[in-house]
Amino acid sequence: MNQKTFVKTFKDVQQKMYFLSKRLLTSHEEAADAVQEVMVRLWEKRFQLEEVKNKEAYAMQMVKNYSLDRLKSKQASHLKIVHTNYDSEERNIEDELERIGKVKLVQKAINELPEQYKMIIQLRDIQRYDFEAIENIMNMKATAVRVGLSRARKMLKEKIEEQYKTEIA
């Protein structure tokens, strides 16, 4: 794989890699470093990448693994998993406060899910990956991804309903 093909192949996936890494590492700098490190590793493996069927999923899997390794390392003991949200400037203050409350409720519920379920929810419902890509990224079979997503959504729904009832009472 030459430089032009490499850039063309991985240019679009870099932003997705960043968002996944930022979701895991919470820090802009850590996520940018992770993507840069994975891109270097991909470049070093560029000749072996010819055999890889889904290069995007391969890159996403690499950045996920690298980010999780950073979380486990002693250097990154201050990092934790959180979910970030994006602002829209077309809301009034009452809507914004209500939205913030709902987002915090969902964030809390997502953070209480098991790690694998968090990743599946992130990849499928937030980043909109198809099941095949998630299978490759997570090293899971199709049925395991679908079952995991179903269970994660069910647990998320139950946690949100439970938290909502607690806040109203």
Side-chain angles (χ1 to χ4, degrees), residues 39-71:
M39 291 302 290
V40 168
R41 291 179 183 182
L42 286 168
W43 177 252
E44 291 170 352
K45 293 182 174 190
R46 66 187 177 274
F47 299 113
Q48 299 164 352
L49 291 175
E50 300 292 335
E51 302 166 10
V52 176
K53 183 178 176 183
N54 189 340
K55 292 170 182 54
E56 180 177 339
Y58 185 79
M60 291 297 291
Q61 182 179 18
M62 282 183 72
V63 81
K64 177 198 77 162
N65 291 340
Y66 183 84
S67 298
L68 291 174
D69 288 345
R70 289 287 300 142
L71 280 174

Short mmCIF file of all heavy atoms in Angstrom, two decimals, residues 39-71:
data_model
loop_
_atom_site.label_atom_id
_atom_site.label_comp_id
_atom_site.label_asym_id
_atom_site.label_seq_id
_atom_site.Cartn_x
_atom_site.Cartn_y
_atom_site.Cartn_z
N MET A 39 -2.44 5.46 13.93
CA MET A 39 -2.13 5.73 12.53
C MET A 39 -0.67 5.37 12.21
O MET A 39 -0.39 4.83 11.14
CB MET A 39 -2.40 7.21 12.20
CG MET A 39 -3.87 7.57 12.21
SD MET A 39 -4.88 6.59 11.08
CE MET A 39 -4.31 7.20 9.50
N VAL A 40 0.23 5.63 13.15
CA VAL A 40 1.63 5.24 12.96
C VAL A 40 1.73 3.71 12.86
O VAL A 40 2.43 3.18 11.98
CB VAL A 40 2.51 5.78 14.11
CG1 VAL A 40 3.89 5.14 14.09
CG2 VAL A 40 2.62 7.29 14.03
N ARG A 41 1.04 3.04 13.74
CA ARG A 41 1.07 1.57 13.72
C ARG A 41 0.46 1.02 12.43
O ARG A 41 0.96 0.03 11.87
CB ARG A 41 0.34 1.00 14.93
CG ARG A 41 1.08 1.26 16.22
CD ARG A 41 0.35 0.72 17.41
NE ARG A 41 1.06 1.04 18.65
CZ ARG A 41 0.66 0.67 19.84
NH1 ARG A 41 -0.44 -0.06 19.98
NH2 ARG A 41 1.34 1.00 20.91
N LEU A 42 -0.62 1.65 11.96
CA LEU A 42 -1.22 1.23 10.69
C LEU A 42 -0.23 1.45 9.53
O LEU A 42 -0.13 0.61 8.64
CB LEU A 42 -2.52 1.99 10.44
CG LEU A 42 -3.72 1.56 11.27
CD1 LEU A 42 -4.86 2.56 11.14
CD2 LEU A 42 -4.19 0.17 10.86
N TRP A 43 0.45 2.58 9.55
CA TRP A 43 1.43 2.87 8.50
C TRP A 43 2.55 1.82 8.51
O TRP A 43 2.98 1.35 7.47
CB TRP A 43 2.02 4.27 8.68
CG TRP A 43 3.08 4.57 7.68
CD1 TRP A 43 4.43 4.68 7.90
CD2 TRP A 43 2.90 4.80 6.27
NE1 TRP A 43 5.09 4.95 6.73
CE2 TRP A 43 4.18 5.03 5.71
CE3 TRP A 43 1.80 4.81 5.44
CZ2 TRP A 43 4.37 5.29 4.36
CZ3 TRP A 43 1.98 5.07 4.08
CH2 TRP A 43 3.26 5.30 3.56
N GLU A 44 2.98 1.43 9.70
CA GLU A 44 4.02 0.41 9.80
C GLU A 44 3.54 -0.94 9.29
O GLU A 44 4.33 -1.74 8.80
CB GLU A 44 4.50 0.29 11.25
CG GLU A 44 5.29 1.51 11.72
CD GLU A 44 5.56 1.52 13.21
OE1 GLU A 44 5.02 0.66 13.95
OE2 GLU A 44 6.31 2.41 13.65
N LYS A 45 2.24 -1.19 9.37
CA LYS A 45 1.65 -2.45 8.91
C LYS A 45 1.02 -2.33 7.53
O LYS A 45 0.26 -3.21 7.11
CB LYS A 45 0.56 -2.91 9.89
CG LYS A 45 1.05 -3.30 11.24
CD LYS A 45 -0.12 -3.77 12.08
CE LYS A 45 0.36 -4.30 13.40
NZ LYS A 45 -0.69 -4.96 14.15
N ARG A 46 1.30 -1.26 6.81
CA ARG A 46 0.59 -0.97 5.55
C ARG A 46 0.66 -2.10 4.53
O ARG A 46 -0.27 -2.30 3.77
CB ARG A 46 1.07 0.35 4.96
CG ARG A 46 2.50 0.34 4.49
CD ARG A 46 2.96 1.73 4.06
NE ARG A 46 4.33 1.76 3.66
CZ ARG A 46 5.36 1.92 4.48
NH1 ARG A 46 5.14 2.06 5.76
NH2 ARG A 46 6.59 1.92 4.02
N PHE A 47 1.75 -2.85 4.51
CA PHE A 47 1.87 -3.93 3.53
C PHE A 47 1.05 -5.15 3.94
O PHE A 47 0.60 -5.91 3.10
CB PHE A 47 3.34 -4.29 3.31
CG PHE A 47 4.15 -3.13 2.79
CD1 PHE A 47 5.12 -2.54 3.57
CD2 PHE A 47 3.90 -2.61 1.53
CE1 PHE A 47 5.86 -1.46 3.10
CE2 PHE A 47 4.62 -1.54 1.04
CZ PHE A 47 5.59 -0.95 1.83
N GLN A 48 0.85 -5.32 5.24
CA GLN A 48 0.02 -6.42 5.73
C GLN A 48 -1.47 -6.10 5.62
O GLN A 48 -2.30 -7.00 5.65
CB GLN A 48 0.36 -6.71 7.19
CG GLN A 48 1.80 -7.13 7.38
CD GLN A 48 2.23 -7.04 8.84
OE1 GLN A 48 1.50 -6.54 9.67
NE2 GLN A 48 3.44 -7.52 9.12
N LEU A 49 -1.80 -4.82 5.47
CA LEU A 49 -3.20 -4.40 5.41
C LEU A 49 -3.91 -4.84 4.12
O LEU A 49 -5.13 -4.80 4.05
CB LEU A 49 -3.33 -2.88 5.55
CG LEU A 49 -2.99 -2.32 6.92
CD1 LEU A 49 -3.04 -0.80 6.90
CD2 LEU A 49 -3.94 -2.85 7.98
N GLU A 50 -3.14 -5.23 3.12
CA GLU A 50 -3.75 -5.70 1.87
C GLU A 50 -4.66 -6.90 2.13
O GLU A 50 -5.66 -7.09 1.44
CB GLU A 50 -2.65 -6.08 0.86
CG GLU A 50 -1.72 -4.95 0.50
CD GLU A 50 -2.38 -3.85 -0.30
OE1 GLU A 50 -3.38 -4.12 -0.98
OE2 GLU A 50 -1.89 -2.71 -0.23
N GLU A 51 -4.32 -7.70 3.13
CA GLU A 51 -5.07 -8.91 3.44
C GLU A 51 -6.31 -8.63 4.28
O GLU A 51 -7.19 -9.48 4.40
CB GLU A 51 -4.17 -9.91 4.18
CG GLU A 51 -2.93 -10.28 3.39
CD GLU A 51 -1.89 -10.98 4.26
OE1 GLU A 51 -2.20 -11.33 5.41
OE2 GLU A 51 -0.76 -11.15 3.77
N VAL A 52 -6.40 -7.44 4.88
CA VAL A 52 -7.52 -7.10 5.76
C VAL A 52 -8.73 -6.74 4.92
O VAL A 52 -8.66 -5.87 4.04
CB VAL A 52 -7.13 -5.93 6.70
CG1 VAL A 52 -8.32 -5.51 7.54
CG2 VAL A 52 -5.95 -6.32 7.57
N LYS A 53 -9.85 -7.39 5.20
CA LYS A 53 -11.07 -7.17 4.42
C LYS A 53 -11.71 -5.82 4.73
O LYS A 53 -12.00 -5.05 3.83
CB LYS A 53 -12.06 -8.31 4.71
CG LYS A 53 -13.33 -8.23 3.90
CD LYS A 53 -14.25 -9.41 4.20
CE LYS A 53 -15.56 -9.28 3.46
NZ LYS A 53 -16.47 -10.37 3.79
N ASN A 54 -11.94 -5.54 6.01
CA ASN A 54 -12.58 -4.29 6.42
C ASN A 54 -11.56 -3.44 7.18
O ASN A 54 -11.39 -3.57 8.38
CB ASN A 54 -13.81 -4.59 7.29
CG ASN A 54 -14.64 -3.36 7.58
OD1 ASN A 54 -14.16 -2.24 7.47
ND2 ASN A 54 -15.88 -3.58 7.95
N LYS A 55 -10.88 -2.58 6.45
CA LYS A 55 -9.80 -1.78 7.03
C LYS A 55 -10.32 -0.79 8.06
O LYS A 55 -9.66 -0.50 9.06
CB LYS A 55 -9.03 -1.08 5.93
CG LYS A 55 -8.24 -2.04 5.06
CD LYS A 55 -7.66 -1.37 3.84
CE LYS A 55 -6.92 -2.32 2.94
NZ LYS A 55 -7.62 -3.49 2.50
N GLU A 56 -11.52 -0.25 7.87
CA GLU A 56 -12.09 0.69 8.83
C GLU A 56 -12.34 0.01 10.18
O GLU A 56 -11.97 0.54 11.23
CB GLU A 56 -13.40 1.27 8.30
CG GLU A 56 -14.05 2.25 9.25
CD GLU A 56 -15.32 2.88 8.71
OE1 GLU A 56 -15.52 2.90 7.48
OE2 GLU A 56 -16.10 3.37 9.53
N ALA A 57 -12.94 -1.15 10.13
CA ALA A 57 -13.20 -1.89 11.37
C ALA A 57 -11.89 -2.28 12.05
O ALA A 57 -11.77 -2.23 13.28
CB ALA A 57 -14.04 -3.13 11.09
N TYR A 58 -10.89 -2.63 11.25
CA TYR A 58 -9.57 -2.98 11.78
C TYR A 58 -8.96 -1.79 12.51
O TYR A 58 -8.45 -1.92 13.63
CB TYR A 58 -8.67 -3.45 10.63
CG TYR A 58 -7.32 -3.95 11.04
CD1 TYR A 58 -7.16 -5.22 11.57
CD2 TYR A 58 -6.19 -3.15 10.90
CE1 TYR A 58 -5.90 -5.69 11.95
CE2 TYR A 58 -4.93 -3.60 11.27
CZ TYR A 58 -4.80 -4.88 11.79
OH TYR A 58 -3.55 -5.33 12.16
N ALA A 59 -9.04 -0.62 11.89
CA ALA A 59 -8.50 0.59 12.52
C ALA A 59 -9.28 0.94 13.78
O ALA A 59 -8.68 1.33 14.79
CB ALA A 59 -8.54 1.76 11.52
N MET A 60 -10.59 0.80 13.74
CA MET A 60 -11.42 1.10 14.91
C MET A 60 -11.09 0.13 16.05
O MET A 60 -11.04 0.52 17.21
CB MET A 60 -12.90 1.03 14.55
CG MET A 60 -13.36 2.13 13.62
SD MET A 60 -13.22 3.77 14.32
CE MET A 60 -14.46 3.69 15.59
N GLN A 61 -10.87 -1.12 15.71
CA GLN A 61 -10.51 -2.10 16.73
C GLN A 61 -9.16 -1.75 17.34
O GLN A 61 -8.99 -1.83 18.56
CB GLN A 61 -10.47 -3.50 16.13
CG GLN A 61 -10.14 -4.58 17.13
CD GLN A 61 -10.12 -5.96 16.52
OE1 GLN A 61 -10.03 -6.11 15.32
NE2 GLN A 61 -10.23 -6.97 17.35
N MET A 62 -8.23 -1.32 16.51
CA MET A 62 -6.91 -0.94 17.03
C MET A 62 -7.01 0.25 17.98
O MET A 62 -6.39 0.25 19.04
CB MET A 62 -5.95 -0.61 15.88
CG MET A 62 -5.39 -1.83 15.17
SD MET A 62 -4.20 -1.40 13.89
CE MET A 62 -2.80 -0.85 14.85
N VAL A 63 -7.80 1.27 17.61
CA VAL A 63 -7.90 2.45 18.47
C VAL A 63 -8.66 2.11 19.75
O VAL A 63 -8.34 2.62 20.82
CB VAL A 63 -8.50 3.66 17.72
CG1 VAL A 63 -10.01 3.61 17.65
CG2 VAL A 63 -8.06 4.96 18.38
N LYS A 64 -9.64 1.23 19.65
CA LYS A 64 -10.36 0.80 20.86
C LYS A 64 -9.40 0.08 21.81
O LYS A 64 -9.34 0.40 23.00
CB LYS A 64 -11.51 -0.13 20.50
CG LYS A 64 -12.26 -0.68 21.73
CD LYS A 64 -13.08 -1.89 21.40
CE LYS A 64 -12.18 -3.08 21.29
NZ LYS A 64 -12.77 -4.37 21.37
N ASN A 65 -8.65 -0.85 21.28
CA ASN A 65 -7.70 -1.61 22.11
C ASN A 65 -6.63 -0.70 22.70
O ASN A 65 -6.29 -0.81 23.87
CB ASN A 65 -7.06 -2.73 21.31
CG ASN A 65 -8.04 -3.83 20.97
OD1 ASN A 65 -9.09 -3.96 21.60
ND2 ASN A 65 -7.73 -4.61 19.96
N TYR A 66 -6.11 0.21 21.89
CA TYR A 66 -5.09 1.14 22.38
C TYR A 66 -5.66 2.02 23.49
O TYR A 66 -5.02 2.22 24.53
CB TYR A 66 -4.55 2.01 21.23
CG TYR A 66 -3.45 2.94 21.67
CD1 TYR A 66 -2.14 2.50 21.74
CD2 TYR A 66 -3.74 4.25 22.04
CE1 TYR A 66 -1.13 3.34 22.16
CE2 TYR A 66 -2.73 5.11 22.47
CZ TYR A 66 -1.43 4.65 22.52
OH TYR A 66 -0.43 5.50 22.95
N SER A 67 -6.87 2.53 23.30
CA SER A 67 -7.51 3.40 24.29
C SER A 67 -7.77 2.64 25.59
O SER A 67 -7.55 3.17 26.68
CB SER A 67 -8.82 3.97 23.74
OG SER A 67 -8.56 4.77 22.62
N LEU A 68 -8.25 1.40 25.47
CA LEU A 68 -8.49 0.60 26.67
C LEU A 68 -7.18 0.29 27.39
O LEU A 68 -7.12 0.29 28.62
CB LEU A 68 -9.24 -0.68 26.32
CG LEU A 68 -10.70 -0.49 25.89
CD1 LEU A 68 -11.30 -1.82 25.43
CD2 LEU A 68 -11.53 0.13 26.99
N ASP A 69 -6.12 0.05 26.62
CA ASP A 69 -4.81 -0.16 27.23
C ASP A 69 -4.35 1.08 27.98
O ASP A 69 -3.77 0.99 29.06
CB ASP A 69 -3.76 -0.55 26.18
CG ASP A 69 -3.97 -1.96 25.65
OD1 ASP A 69 -4.72 -2.73 26.28
OD2 ASP A 69 -3.37 -2.28 24.60
N ARG A 70 -4.59 2.25 27.41
CA ARG A 70 -4.23 3.51 28.08
C ARG A 70 -5.02 3.66 29.38
O ARG A 70 -4.48 4.14 30.37
CB ARG A 70 -4.51 4.72 27.17
CG ARG A 70 -3.57 4.85 26.01
CD ARG A 70 -2.19 5.31 26.41
NE ARG A 70 -2.27 6.62 27.04
CZ ARG A 70 -1.53 7.00 28.08
NH1 ARG A 70 -0.64 6.19 28.59
NH2 ARG A 70 -1.67 8.20 28.60
N LEU A 71 -6.29 3.28 29.36
CA LEU A 71 -7.09 3.37 30.58
C LEU A 71 -6.53 2.45 31.67
O LEU A 71 -6.57 2.79 32.85
CB LEU A 71 -8.54 2.99 30.30
CG LEU A 71 -9.41 4.06 29.67
CD1 LEU A 71 -10.77 3.49 29.31
CD2 LEU A 71 -9.57 5.25 30.60
#
